[in-house]
Amino acid sequence: MDAPEEPLPPVIYTMENKPIVTCAGDQNLFTSIYPTLSQQLPREPMEWRRSYGRAPKMIHLESNFVQFKEELLPKEGNKALLTFPFLHIYWTECCDTEVYKATVKDDLTKWQNVLKAHSSVDWLIVVVENDAKKKNKTNILPRTSIVDKIRNDFCNKQSDRCVVLSDPLKDSSRTQESWNAFLTKLRTSLLMSFTKNLGRFEDDMRTLREKRTEPGWSFCDYFMVQEELAFVFEMLQQFEDALVQYDELDALFSQYVVNFGAGDGANWLTFFCQPVKSWDGLVLRKPIDMEKRELIQRQEATVLDLRSYLFSRQCTLLLFLQRPWEVAQRALELLHSCVQELKLLEVSVPPGALDCWVFLSCLEVLQRIEGCCDRAQIDSNIAHTVGLWSYATEKLKSLGYLCGLVSEKGPNSEDLNRIVDLLAGLGAERPETANTAQSPYKKLREALSSVEAFEKHYLDLSHAAIEMHTSIGRTRSARLVGKDLAEFYMRKKSPEKAEIYLQGALKNYLAEGWALPITHTRKQLAECQKHLGQTENYLQTSSLLASDHHVTEEERKHFCQEILSFASRQTDSPGHKIVLPLHCFAQLRDLHFTPSNAVVHVGGVLSVDITMCSQMPVPVHVEQIAINVHFSIEKNNYRKTAEWLTKHKTSNGIINFPTETSPCPASQNNLPALELYEMFERSPSDNSLNTTGIICKNAHMLLRRQESSASLETPSGVALEGGAHVLKCNDVTLQPGANRLMFRTQAKEPGTYTLRQLCVSVGPVRFVLPHLYPLVQYDVYSQEPQLRVEPLADSLLAGIPQKVKFTVTTGHYTVKNGDSLQLSNAEAMLILCHAENRAVIYSNTREKASDVLLRVQSSDKVTSISLPAAPAYHMIEFELEVLSLPSAPVTGGESSMLGATEPRGKPKDTRKAGRCMATTDHKVSIDCPWSIYSTVIALTFSLPFRTTHSLLSAGTRKYIQVCVQNLSELDFQLSDGNLVDPGSADLQLVPLNAKSPQHTHSKQSVFFVWELKWAREPPPSLHCQFSVGFSPASEGQLSIPLKPYTYEFQVENFFTLYNVRAEILPPSGTEHCRTGSLCSLEVSITRLSGLLEVDKDEALSESDEYFSTKLMYEVVDNSSNWAVCGKSSGVISMPVVAQATHRVHMEVMPLFAGYLPLPDVRLFKYLPHHSAHSSQLDADSWIENDSLSVDKHVDDQLDSSSIKSRGSVHSASSSEHKGLPMPRLQALPAGQVFNSSMGTQVLVIPSKDDHVLEVSVT
Amino acid sequence: MAVCVAVIAKENYPLYIRSIPTENELKFHYMVHTSLDVVDEKISAMGKALVDQRELYLGLLYPTEDYKVYGYVTNSKVKFVMVVDSSNTALRDNEIRSMFRKLHNSYTDVMCNPFYNPGDRIQSSRAFDSMVTSMMIQVC
């Protein structure tokens, strides 16, 4: 470092600047200490606390120590900071009071006075002590005295201004300690001085800035002042702060320019608005560009000069701060804003000059950055620099275009003049780059020198830019540069090189659906392809452009004409076909079949209507439009057809093609939608689910490899399908917009036809749609003739005429006149022949073709129906009336079962049978003319009625009731109900019914009652036959008389033998029965007749012409109203004599109060065990079977009209001892016992002492 | 203010793009399309942080000599790109932000229209159109 003796250079504008510290006093002493001092001072950082709330910083201090001179002290008003001495130090080694008094004190005083004169307060006095010196002199004072003296003399209040440094050159701990204290003191003092002096400077600077609105204010002056501050910060290694100063200046200047643009021009700004004469670009290789700085200082700088200088300083500082990428970013901003500022300030710039400046600056910045970074760093930060690269490329391109370097012929004289002017503005190359081969200056000069050199440099730059964009994934930017390059190649008449860039760009735009760029690029591509002579590609691009709505009408016509003229030119040379995709020429909108279900029989005519939207701007004459059809034979032809019929009825036969979102859907939208279906796989054995999943039915479409080649633009190599089946349409003129095309075909072979490929021929040009999507198919079928017979209603009713529909589907058979259907009659079914039967013939599409009279001839065996003549694939429909005889085969067993009236018997059975009608089937065999086999048809008829009967008694009088239930949905009229017993003549059946016809609604019943009267002894059984006439109530007169409905049944044991009478009497002396008190039950059983045929069984016993029979009675109260006290049953011997009466007395107790029904009294026939011939068998079964089976046994023996009792058998059987031969009980048939007290009730009043009232709520 | 306003779908095709009629429309299409590079870059660079902070404004995408291109991305990755004349120095970041917010609101309204299919081009929304017009009208 500088020795103190050296003269101080006036201003040092290098980075070697350090804050200045002056040294006075003993120079030799300082010289000896200096090396240690300069080494130790920056070793430890010191915290610098700062004003205005700025964050404190750790700072390593360094200083430039110079010898104290009075000239160094700044004069009043001098604002220079760099040359400002921040601290003054006085060094002394004095340890002798005498010496001190003699010389040192005076010297110090003088020094202090100079400082005071300049109002400098930052000083320090250092007293160095040396042990060696002390030893030499004996009469020395203690060390402290000198220091004290100095403190006393000079530092009246600030004793710390005097510092002691002991043995500085020794290596002892004391020395170390003393050094540390001294250094800390020194650093603190320096920082205090910085704070104070910089603060004062900043204040002054701010004051100056506030004056900027005053007229005489100059930006350049202010610039110099603030830059001074920046220099100091830079000197203190505070680059961040230094950068802030420049940024502030930058912003201030920008604001002025903006204000200028807004009309608020400052005077000083006019200096900057001088015309630009030099455009030599940024200079970043020197830390400070002194030339430019001087220009600013002299107020002669242009905007470009100022900007260049400012940026070079910012660049330097940013590079110190290790932020090269910010340099690149700021550079781009700067270049852009400079261009804007020049425009705003209306500075006159020669054309191209700015381009040169920007180009040079870009390259300068890039080279500067490259100079301070390694390759890897640069590669990973391309994103920051690529902007500059492409900007430079752009500028070079515009220079090339400006100077005629891109044209085929090269620059003309005017261009050459311009080049010379531009080169002149560059000036001479700067010395610092003179030796660099690739300096921006040399590059530009060379590029402008010749067409070839320009091309080389331009291609270099372009490729570099493309490569960089691509490497960081900015494909769109790369494409844009590529397009510029393509334009360049087109200008240079080398379309073969341009094509790849255009294709690439177009592919990118297509993929992302940007219509305008697509159109523009296509136009360029069309030109390129035309030059290259790629006929197919050119025609395709032309067709795309002709259909593009973003192109002007004239251009569309032009491109359309290109295709048409090509087509007409090439007609003479057949064979060569140009295949182009259809979608750019025309689009299918919809397709419509006639017949609309797209199913046609063999020989039928099918027409296909297609709406095709021509995209061409003019009408185009088309020689032929052909649709290739793929034919496949379906195995199950008919079923397929039926399926189609149902499936297509709704869609109305119109198939809409998805409109391609013209002209360019995003690539993702091109894919068809996922078609997902659920899939279940069940095990064949037990139908349990094995696997389930989802199937994508169109995976082959979705997973198709995305063509990496640009298939959208190049002909996709569609092979023209040739096939036997083609739908054709010749000589059509397609108008712009929608056109309707009709194709007709006659169906030949049965099978499925799939429309595959559509091809439009214009001369040798074929526009081909390779696949029609969605799938379009039509089916041709051949059908066997068929006869169907079905009832008109849901079910046929027996007994009344019913309509049956005959449908003859002719299929491929043609019905001739004279063809007839031969029906072999079933016995119980009549076919009613009316005078007029009409048949309707329908065409295949259910359209009515004709209506003809039908002839039906009936013999007793065969009914013959003559069919009307009908062509193939038609339908003949007619209706016939049939009548099934109503009651002929009423299945006997079933009916009697249903007929049994069993109040408690088997409710299940009756309920089950209650709703459904009995049915009968009739089979008819029909011979059809088209077949040698007969068709057998079964018709099922339902009986509309169900009939039940019951026997009713009143004492000895008997009644028969017949119930007819209408089960059908129809209403019927019933008349002439009649009941006869053909067997016995002495029996009389007196009807109690209304004579008029009875109306029975659906699900209603009608009851008929007859009284049974007899003169002599009645027979044990009756055989009855019930018949009733019926007719549907709704219809008027029927054409044929209907057979009455009949029902037969038997009634047995209907004569009443016993009358049972029960009576409950209150206890004697009371008026009413009371709960809990015993009452007497009197039962009297009276024989009503003498000996009858029915009485002759095992129970009858005879003695002296006197017959008696054994009966068992039983009193049961099922409702638990009564408690029977004592024996509730008993066997009595009943004399078989009329009016013989047996009385039984019993005690019963009412359990409840109220009107109580009497307990039941039941009678059974008591059959002794020994007398039966079947007793052994019965006894066996009795033993083996449990009581329930006994029940059954009893049931079986009962006939249909008898009432049986279950409970009594139980009690009787359970009381018997099993295993012994036992007497049998047989319930008396219901008709034989009449209970004359049935339904009577007895009033029971509650007992008085009954405090508990039991209420049961059920 | 703005010289071109564009709404770009998640798949990078334009849903809406309008520029001032006096200028060459094509130029703006190219510019907006190219700016998607930077949008993509910014989105992938911000990644999760973007989602978390709900900062939809992408800032200046890239400056060119004559124009500044600003970007904004919605949560559903629909991008808004606005091109502003460079000479229009009065426009600060905050104004751009509020313009984007207005655009976003208006776009949300379009999406709320039950007759609008998400992903379709915005063609028949008068409200959106007039909003964009109001953003472009204040030029010069």
Side-chain angles (χ1 to χ4, degrees):
Chain A
M1 197 29 84
D2 307 36
E5 295 91 355
E6 277 178 40
L8 192 75
V11 180
I12 314 159
Y13 289 128
T14 62
M15 284 322 301
E16 281 70 46
N17 277 357
K18 286 170 189 170
I20 292 171
V21 176
T22 65
C23 305
D26 193 341
Q27 291 299 319
N28 291 329
L29 171 66
F30 175 68
T31 315
S32 67
I33 287 173
Y34 175 73
T36 326
L37 181 59
S38 65
Q39 190 200 349
Q40 292 289 326
L41 183 59
R43 187 160 282 173
E44 273 177 52
M46 194 70 191
E47 193 184 61
W48 185 18
R49 296 175 199 277
R50 309 180 57 193
S51 55
Y52 297 109
R54 282 173 282 192
K57 281 197 171 157
M58 297 308 281
I59 184 166
H60 290 267
L61 286 166
E62 276 184 279
S63 281
N64 198 358
F65 294 92
V66 298
Q67 193 175 3
F68 179 76
K69 283 172 192 160
E70 199 177 338
E71 307 92 86
L72 284 175
L73 291 169
K75 303 194 174 50
E76 199 62 41
N78 189 350
K79 294 275 190 302
L81 260 186
L82 275 183
T83 51
F84 184 84
F86 285 95
L87 190 63
H88 308 277
I89 306 175
Y90 190 92
W91 299 87
T92 180
E93 213 180 2
C94 172
C95 51
D96 193 336
T97 330
E98 299 306 314
V99 180
Y100 172 72
K101 277 183 183 164
T103 57
V104 177
K105 190 177 179 184
D106 284 352
D107 200 25
L108 263 171
T109 315
K110 218 190 289 164
W111 178 71
Q112 282 269 311
N113 286 340
V114 173
L115 290 180
K116 267 181 198 152
H118 290 90
S119 61
S120 178
V121 290
D122 305 302
W123 52 266
L124 209 62
I125 301 167
V126 183
V127 180
V128 179
E129 287 190 346
N130 242 331
D131 290 348
K133 266 195 174 171
K134 268 188 204 168
K135 281 173 192 164
N136 295 346
K137 304 197 173 180
T138 48
N139 58 339
I140 49 164
L141 285 169
R143 154 176 61 90
T144 47
S145 61
I146 287 291
V147 178
D148 287 343
K149 268 187 192 309
I150 292 173
R151 281 189 180 146
N152 213 24
D153 292 342
F154 299 100
C155 325
N156 35 3
K157 276 161 203 158
Q158 304 146 294
S159 58
D160 57 341
R161 288 291 178 108
C162 183
V163 187
V164 179
L165 186 61
S166 341
D167 294 330
L169 298 175
K170 283 197 180 159
D171 189 17
S172 70
S173 63
R174 190 156 158 266
T175 306
Q176 197 65 41
E177 221 169 88
S178 142
W179 263 114
N180 282 346
F182 167 67
L183 285 170
T184 311
K185 181 67 205 165
L186 182 59
R187 286 180 194 132
T188 319
S189 305
L190 262 174
L191 285 176
M192 272 166 60
S193 171
F194 288 157
T195 314
K196 192 162 64 199
N197 290 299
L198 289 182
R200 195 186 302 140
F201 187 86
E202 280 179 12
D203 287 345
D204 290 348
M205 189 181 82
R206 244 171 249 121
T207 317
L208 184 58
R209 190 163 61 197
E210 291 314 312
K211 288 182 185 153
R212 65 185 182 275
T213 45
E214 288 173 16
W217 193 80
S218 161
F219 177 77
C220 294
D221 290 347
Y222 177 71
F223 185 94
M224 289 302 152
V225 171
Q226 188 156 10
E227 190 180 32
E228 191 80 17
L229 187 61
F231 281 146
V232 171
F233 280 123
E234 189 180 347
M235 179 177 78
L236 294 177
Q237 312 265 311
Q238 300 305 302
F239 302 118
E240 201 75 61
D241 292 281
L243 187 60
V244 168
Q245 307 310 317
Y246 283 108
D247 288 349
E248 277 180 18
L249 284 169
D250 192 341
L252 186 65
F253 186 75
S254 298
Q255 193 54 49
Y256 268 104
V257 175
V258 168
N259 292 352
F260 183 87
D264 178 19
N267 281 337
W268 55 266
L269 204 56
T270 44
F271 297 124
F272 290 103
C273 297
Q274 308 143 24
V276 175
K277 293 201 185 73
S278 155
W279 38 85
D280 49 357
L282 296 174
V283 180
L284 305 176
R285 290 168 213 242
K286 292 187 279 189
I288 297 172
D289 186 351
M290 288 311 291
E291 293 167 40
K292 293 242 160 61
R293 187 169 195 272
E294 273 158 35
L295 280 177
I296 296 167
Q297 211 163 13
R298 292 205 303 270
Q299 309 207 344
E300 285 167 2
T302 61
V303 178
L304 285 187
D305 291 332
L306 178 73
R307 283 294 182 193
S308 301
Y309 178 70
L310 249 179
F311 186 74
S312 72
R313 293 297 301 143
Q314 288 168 323
C315 172
T316 308
L317 291 171
L318 284 168
L319 290 178
F320 277 132
L321 288 167
Q322 305 285 316
R323 278 143 65 178
W325 315 120
E326 200 176 328
V327 174
Q329 188 204 327
R330 279 174 174 236
L332 200 56
E333 276 171 39
L334 166 86
L335 297 175
H336 287 142
S337 69
C338 275
V339 173
Q340 285 300 322
E341 278 176 358
L342 286 174
K343 266 190 218 161
L344 209 62
L345 294 173
E346 292 158 355
V347 175
S348 87
V349 185
L354 217 45
D355 295 333
C356 289
W357 185 76
V358 170
F359 178 78
L360 289 173
S361 301
C362 283
L363 292 192
E364 177 74 13
V365 172
L366 288 170
Q367 289 191 355
R368 184 74 183 90
I369 293 171
E370 273 168 31
C372 65
C373 297
D374 56 25
R375 195 72 239 165
Q377 259 181 309
I378 290 168
D379 283 346
S380 56
N381 282 287
I382 284 175
H384 297 101
T385 54
V386 72
L388 286 169
W389 281 106
S390 45
Y391 197 26
T393 315
E394 203 179 298
K395 285 298 157 190
L396 187 60
K397 184 186 83 177
S398 67
L399 273 175
Y401 281 81
L402 184 74
C403 301
L405 292 165
V406 182
S407 64
E408 225 178 343
K409 289 176 226 115
N412 55 24
S413 62
E414 198 185 322
D415 294 332
L416 287 173
N417 276 336
R418 195 172 287 141
I419 293 174
V420 171
D421 287 348
L422 285 176
L423 288 179
L426 297 180
E429 179 154 29
R430 287 192 212 96
E432 63 265 26
T433 59
N435 300 326
T436 331
Q438 286 283 310
S439 72
Y441 178 86
K442 287 203 187 81
K443 273 192 181 177
L444 182 58
R445 203 164 251 287
E446 198 182 316
L448 292 180
S449 65
S450 73
V451 175
E452 292 74 26
F454 173 80
E455 182 174 345
K456 176 185 164 289
H457 281 287
Y458 177 59
L459 292 184
D460 278 355
L461 270 178
S462 293
H463 288 144
I466 290 175
E467 200 180 304
M468 279 187 234
H469 276 308
T470 316
S471 72
I472 55 167
R474 293 189 179 180
T475 46
R476 299 176 189 92
S477 310
R479 296 294 184 206
L480 202 61
V481 180
K483 271 200 65 201
D484 284 341
L485 203 51
E487 225 166 276
F488 171 78
Y489 279 129
M490 287 303 288
R491 283 278 198 109
K492 301 287 277 183
K493 293 280 176 273
S494 37
E496 70 283 351
K497 286 181 188 157
E499 197 202 351
I500 180 169
Y501 291 107
L502 291 173
Q503 290 280 16
L506 182 58
K507 200 178 117 192
N508 188 226
Y509 299 140
L510 276 172
E512 296 190 335
W514 285 73
L516 252 55
I518 288 171
T519 307
H520 179 240
T521 313
R522 265 197 193 133
K523 272 196 261 181
Q524 292 176 315
L525 189 63
E527 198 195 336
C528 173
Q529 286 164 338
K530 191 175 187 182
H531 283 301
L532 285 174
Q534 299 174 339
T535 319
E536 278 188 39
N537 292 352
Y538 176 61
L539 287 178
Q540 187 179 0
T541 312
S542 294
S543 72
L544 284 166
L545 284 167
S547 62
D548 193 337
H549 295 281
H550 295 288
V551 184
T552 59
E553 191 68 19
E554 285 76 54
E555 280 177 297
R556 286 181 64 186
K557 281 181 181 155
H558 162 75
F559 285 114
C560 184
Q561 207 51 52
E562 289 280 297
I563 303 167
L564 295 179
S565 59
F566 173 83
S568 58
R569 209 172 345 149
Q570 298 280 315
T571 36
D572 42 324
S573 61
H576 181 66
K577 287 175 192 160
I578 306 278
V579 177
L580 299 177
L582 178 75
H583 68 89
C584 50
F585 174 77
Q587 281 182 356
L588 291 185
R589 190 167 291 168
D590 54 52
L591 184 147
H592 167 77
F593 281 111
T594 315
S596 61
N597 55 18
V599 177
V600 70
H601 56 77
V602 171
V605 173
L606 179 94
S607 67
V608 185
D609 280 307
I610 290 179
T611 308
M612 189 185 265
C613 247
S614 171
Q615 311 269 28
M616 294 293 115
V618 292
V620 178
H621 180 79
V622 171
E623 277 108 74
Q624 191 187 58
I625 300 174
I627 304 175
N628 267 296
V629 176
H630 177 258
F631 168 65
S632 64
I633 298 169
E634 289 285 330
K635 274 183 188 163
N636 205 339
N637 208 345
Y638 177 72
R639 180 170 293 174
K640 169 89 178 149
T641 305
E643 228 175 63
W644 268 82
L645 276 167
T646 49
K647 206 161 84 183
H648 277 252
K649 248 164 202 169
T650 45
S651 72
N652 211 8
I654 295 176
I655 293 158
N656 286 306
F657 294 97
T659 46
E660 284 176 54
T661 38
S662 62
C664 45
S667 58
Q668 289 90 337
N669 298 0
N670 266 338
L671 292 174
L674 273 178
E675 286 179 39
L676 293 178
Y677 293 89
E678 279 178 281
M679 187 268 296
F680 300 105
E681 197 175 298
R682 292 175 188 281
S683 95
S685 56
D686 56 351
N687 204 35
S688 63
L689 194 63
N690 268 355
T691 52
T692 181
I694 292 173
I695 289 180
C696 177
K697 286 216 172 167
N698 56 351
H700 60 287
M701 306 273 284
L702 292 162
L703 298 180
R704 200 164 43 184
R705 193 177 67 91
Q706 296 290 314
E707 274 106 316
S708 50
S709 60
S711 67
L712 281 157
E713 292 299 303
T714 53
S716 37
V718 176
L720 276 171
E721 275 182 24
H725 303 274
V726 180
L727 302 178
K728 275 182 195 166
C729 196
N730 288 328
D731 284 324
V732 189
T733 301
L734 290 176
Q735 298 292 335
N739 292 273
R740 284 192 75 79
L741 306 169
M742 183 144 99
F743 300 84
R744 284 175 71 85
T745 184
Q746 187 155 32
K748 287 186 188 106
E749 272 180 85
T752 300
Y753 294 80
T754 310
L755 273 54
R756 285 273 272 263
Q757 197 180 63
L758 194 142
C759 174
V760 178
S761 312
V762 183
V765 182
R766 302 273 183 278
F767 293 101
V768 174
L769 181 65
H771 294 286
L772 284 167
Y773 184 85
L775 204 66
V776 182
Q777 289 183 321
Y778 68 89
D779 292 83
V780 175
Y781 67 96
S782 146
Q783 194 186 353
E784 291 300 313
Q786 201 190 11
L787 170 70
R788 243 191 1 260
V789 180
E790 52 199 5
L792 268 187
D794 287 346
S795 65
L796 295 167
L797 288 178
I800 54 170
Q802 293 284 288
K803 284 193 171 164
V804 174
K805 190 168 96 172
F806 283 70
T807 310
V808 175
T809 312
T810 58
H812 58 70
Y813 180 80
T814 310
V815 181
K816 299 173 284 290
N817 256 326
D819 280 343
S820 63
L821 297 177
Q822 305 286 338
L823 277 67
S824 66
N825 298 356
E827 274 168 39
M829 196 185 81
L830 296 177
I831 291 165
L832 307 176
C833 307
H834 291 283
E836 251 186 49
N837 271 319
R838 299 202 75 88
V840 183
I841 302 175
Y842 292 99
S843 75
N844 207 25
T845 49
R846 293 295 302 172
E847 284 163 58
K848 194 168 164 180
S850 61
D851 189 349
V852 275
L853 207 63
L854 193 74
R855 274 192 308 122
V856 183
Q857 286 171 324
S858 208
S859 68
D860 40 341
K861 282 275 182 206
V862 173
T863 304
S864 158
I865 304 164
S866 315
L867 291 173
Y873 296 103
H874 274 59
M875 261 196 286
I876 306 170
E877 273 187 12
F878 56 89
E879 288 169 12
L880 284 184
E881 280 200 328
V882 295
L883 177 68
S884 165
L885 298 179
S887 45
V890 172
T891 36
E894 199 182 345
S895 176
S896 74
M897 246 266 279
L898 291 171
T901 27
E902 290 162 346
R904 281 179 232 166
K906 295 180 173 172
K908 241 192 227 167
D909 289 349
T910 38
R911 209 180 298 142
K912 201 161 74 183
R915 289 286 154 252
C916 58
M917 295 182 268
T919 57
T920 45
D921 283 356
H922 296 290
K923 286 209 168 85
V924 183
S925 107
I926 304 172
D927 288 330
C928 304
W930 54 80
S931 168
I932 52 165
Y933 303 105
S934 330
T935 314
V936 176
I937 284 157
L939 292 173
T940 304
F941 290 87
S942 310
L943 288 172
F945 301 118
R946 189 167 58 141
T947 318
T948 52
H949 68 270
S950 52
L951 178 76
L952 309 171
S953 316
T956 51
R957 296 172 75 174
K958 295 287 163 181
Y959 304 88
I960 289 174
Q961 175 191 280
V962 176
C963 167
V964 177
Q965 194 182 1
N966 179 8
L967 295 170
S968 74
E969 299 292 331
L970 285 177
D971 298 346
F972 284 99
Q973 193 92 19
L974 299 182
S975 57
D976 304 327
N978 192 21
L979 186 72
V980 289
D981 180 8
S984 52
D986 51 343
L987 213 71
Q988 201 187 348
L989 287 162
V990 182
L992 304 174
N993 306 316
K995 288 279 176 253
S996 59
Q998 301 265 322
H999 205 77
T1000 164
H1001 289 283
S1002 167
K1003 314 292 180 204
Q1004 271 187 340
S1005 302
V1006 172
F1007 292 88
F1008 296 91
V1009 179
W1010 282 265
E1011 186 173 359
L1012 204 57
K1013 286 188 175 167
W1014 56 90
R1016 292 184 295 139
E1017 182 183 310
S1021 77
L1022 261 178
H1023 192 81
C1024 297
Q1025 191 176 18
F1026 170 75
S1027 72
V1028 67
F1030 71 100
S1031 62
S1034 55
E1035 282 169 44
Q1037 198 56 43
L1038 280 166
S1039 51
I1040 50 145
L1042 296 179
K1043 293 260 168 71
Y1045 174 72
T1046 59
Y1047 174 63
E1048 286 176 29
F1049 59 91
Q1050 274 194 331
V1051 183
E1052 285 175 334
N1053 298 328
F1054 58 87
F1055 189 74
T1056 309
L1057 295 180
Y1058 303 99
N1059 186 16
V1060 178
R1061 183 185 181 80
E1063 197 182 359
I1064 289 180
L1065 299 172
S1068 56
T1070 54
E1071 200 181 341
H1072 296 290
C1073 306
R1074 282 181 185 278
T1075 51
S1077 60
L1078 287 174
C1079 308
S1080 64
L1081 171 70
E1082 303 282 348
V1083 179
S1084 67
I1085 301 164
T1086 314
R1087 172 89 194 183
L1088 295 179
S1089 70
L1091 184 68
L1092 287 179
E1093 197 60 27
V1094 292
D1095 290 320
K1096 290 175 178 160
D1097 54 16
E1098 305 107 285
L1100 195 71
S1101 57
E1102 186 190 353
S1103 59
D1104 310 328
E1105 298 290 309
Y1106 184 76
F1107 292 95
S1108 66
T1109 185
K1110 279 203 172 147
L1111 292 177
M1112 190 184 103
Y1113 68 88
E1114 186 190 25
V1115 178
V1116 180
D1117 182 35
N1118 281 336
S1119 50
S1120 314
N1121 289 327
W1122 302 92
V1124 182
C1125 305
K1127 231 176 100 184
S1128 64
S1129 59
V1131 177
I1132 53 168
S1133 179
M1134 195 74 192
V1136 186
V1137 181
Q1139 297 310 318
T1141 304
H1142 194 94
R1143 283 174 205 281
V1144 181
H1145 178 86
M1146 263 179 276
E1147 299 270 87
V1148 292
M1149 187 169 71
L1151 300 174
F1152 298 101
Y1155 284 101
L1156 299 183
L1158 296 184
D1160 278 343
V1161 180
R1162 292 171 189 166
L1163 274 188
F1164 301 93
K1165 222 173 236 182
Y1166 191 82
L1167 305 176
H1169 69 274
H1170 48 85
S1171 59
H1173 32 263
S1174 63
S1175 66
Q1176 197 54 48
L1177 196 85
D1178 284 343
D1180 281 354
S1181 64
W1182 187 269
I1183 293 158
E1184 284 166 12
N1185 297 336
D1186 61 14
S1187 55
L1188 263 173
S1189 65
V1190 177
D1191 235 335
K1192 265 186 191 161
H1193 184 75
V1194 174
D1195 279 352
D1196 291 342
Q1197 294 203 337
L1198 289 176
D1199 78 22
S1200 59
S1201 61
S1202 62
I1203 297 170
K1204 62 134 186 108
S1205 164
R1206 180 183 277 165
S1208 56
V1209 181
H1210 271 286
S1211 54
S1213 60
S1214 57
S1215 65
E1216 304 289 343
H1217 182 67
K1218 285 192 175 185
L1220 288 169
M1222 269 176 288
R1224 280 193 301 142
L1225 284 179
Q1226 192 180 50
L1228 283 164
Q1232 291 183 347
V1233 181
F1234 180 71
N1235 193 346
S1236 61
S1237 58
M1238 185 184 271
T1240 39
Q1241 291 181 330
V1242 170
L1243 178 65
V1244 177
I1245 56 172
S1247 65
K1248 274 172 192 154
D1249 56 341
D1250 201 356
H1251 299 296
V1252 183
L1253 180 67
E1254 195 176 314
V1255 179
S1256 65
V1257 181
T1258 51
Chain B
M1 278 187 157
V3 290
C4 177
V5 172
V7 180
I8 294 138
K10 183 170 176 273
E11 294 85 7
N12 287 338
Y13 62 90
L15 292 172
Y16 183 93
I17 178 160
R18 216 168 101 210
S19 51
I20 51 165
T22 49
E23 299 270 351
N24 180 11
E25 207 184 345
L26 181 67
K27 177 175 75 180
F28 290 115
H29 279 244
Y30 277 126
M31 197 182 294
V32 172
H33 181 252
T34 314
S35 73
L36 291 177
D37 273 341
V38 189
V39 173
D40 284 355
E41 223 166 72
K42 291 211 174 197
I43 290 175
S44 61
M46 285 167 124
K48 282 246 166 70
L50 175 82
V51 180
D52 292 345
Q53 292 171 6
R54 300 252 168 231
E55 175 56 290
L56 307 173
Y57 179 55
L58 297 176
L60 184 64
L61 298 181
Y62 71 83
T64 64
E65 219 169 89
D66 305 314
Y67 301 102
K68 287 182 179 143
V69 186
Y70 293 92
Y72 184 93
V73 63
T74 71
N75 287 323
S76 52
K77 300 282 172 288
V78 170
K79 295 127 193 160
F80 299 148
V81 174
M82 196 148 38
V83 184
V84 172
D85 206 310
S86 283
S87 61
N88 194 341
T89 39
L91 275 178
R92 300 286 162 151
D93 227 33
N94 266 344
E95 276 99 57
I96 300 285
R97 263 175 210 267
S98 77
M99 280 162 81
F100 271 128
R101 225 165 289 139
K102 249 167 75 183
L103 193 65
H104 195 171
N105 286 343
S106 198
Y107 173 73
T108 312
D109 288 347
V110 171
M111 292 294 287
C112 290
N113 178 0
F115 296 102
Y116 172 78
N117 276 335
D120 279 2
R121 269 146 230 241
I122 302 169
Q123 280 167 330
S124 54
S125 172
R126 224 179 301 155
F128 191 76
D129 250 358
S130 61
M131 198 277 311
V132 172
T133 311
S134 78
M135 279 172 38
M136 305 213 297
I137 245 169
Q138 297 162 35
V139 198
C140 67

